[in-house]
Amino acid sequence: RAGYESASRHFNPADVEVDVAGRSFLVTGANSGIGKATAKEIARRGGTVHLVCRNKERAEVAKEEIVTETGNLNIFLHIVDLSNPKEIWKFAEEFQNEHKLNVLINNAGCMVNNRELTEDGLEKNFATNTLGTYIMTTALLPLLEKAADARVITVSSGGMLVQKLNISDLQSGSGPFDGTMVYAQNKRQQVVLTEQWAKAHGNIHFSVMHPGWADTPAVRSSMPDFYERMKNSLRTEAQGADTVLWLAVSAEATKLPSGLFFQDRQPVPTHLPLAYTHSPPEDEEKLMQMLEEFSQKFKSVSPG
């Protein structure tokens, strides 16, 4: 929290005091934590907000809260499990037929501390954080390509700074399984995805960010020891969401190049000094190719 308080002295409040009525935003993982805080702030500014959540009951409570607190009725709910690639493809196909989209916010994530497989045989952290983000973005690119001032923001984590991209074991099948490190590897992959997308899609502004360590349900449940030690110095959910909001609505954000990694409204390096975390360009291209192959396996044409 101290880092946020110090950085925020230099923020220009006018950057986020904008009316975004008529613009459409999709936020994944929007029923709690940073996703809900972001959705609420966009709703306050008049945006149309699509909440993409896995848990229907919790999502309906969150939607009700956002509508009540902001008075904005243009809040729509979609129930999608981001660890299920078939569901994401199906959702994106239907969404494109019915809605427009200006800004995609990839916020949903999970940190499962034991190696768990989804019904498709995918390791759950990879399925949600990396493949889910990849498919959701790729599937909605055609819609974003048509939009004015289109943006894609992915919520990563500073934990990725300790990881070098490893394409040899995307599903963490070999060696001992450490959920925290697997999550950090997924978050490194999200940074690489953002950089690659920025190169390939010049008329969409891509960014990836670290929200700082915030007091969210996800941190409490996935990292209980860390939470107990740090709970008095964690950011609030709104402080964690501040840079996501800034990247989603401010005119200032898109004056900066596409593909950067942000913390507290500033681009920051994606590697620590002297850290051996840089990967060769061919590994980054190979990651994109592998994810494309994975994603196509789950893209159904009509049955039969």
Side-chain angles (χ1 to χ4, degrees), residues 25-39:
F25 299 77
L26 189 156
V27 186
T28 67
N31 63 339
S32 68
I34 286 163
K36 184 170 85 173
T38 303

Side-chain angles (χ1 to χ4, degrees), residues 78-97:
H78 310 272
I79 304 303
V80 186
D81 180 349
L82 269 285
S83 72
N84 183 325
K86 292 188 203 85
E87 256 186 57
I88 304 170
W89 276 120
K90 183 169 179 285
F91 158 74
E93 215 161 282
E94 289 168 3
F95 188 89
Q96 294 198 63
N97 294 332

Side-chain angles (χ1 to χ4, degrees), residues 104 106 108 125-138 141 152-156 160 165 167 170 185-201 204-209 258-261 270 279 281 283-295:
L104 167 63
N106 290 310
N125 294 293
F126 166 77
T128 309
N129 302 328
T130 303
L131 187 60
T133 298
Y134 179 85
I135 295 177
M136 182 64 84
T137 307
T138 315
L141 280 173
V152 175
I153 298 124
T154 300
V155 178
S156 178
M160 67 92 197
L165 178 67
I167 55 169
L170 288 182
Q185 173 65 213
N186 295 162
K187 294 295 167 180
R188 167 62 72 191
Q189 291 160 358
Q190 290 178 340
V191 169
V192 172
L193 288 181
T194 300
E195 292 168 348
Q196 295 294 315
W197 282 326
K199 285 183 202 164
H201 304 278
I204 300 172
H205 192 271
F206 290 88
S207 51
V208 59
M209 57 79 69
S258 182
L260 299 179
F261 180 63
T270 54
S279 47
D283 279 12
E284 299 182 353
E285 285 156 23
K286 179 75 175 158
L287 173 70
M288 301 305 277
Q289 189 189 325
M290 290 166 85
L291 292 176
E292 182 58 23
E293 285 165 12
F294 261 118
S295 75

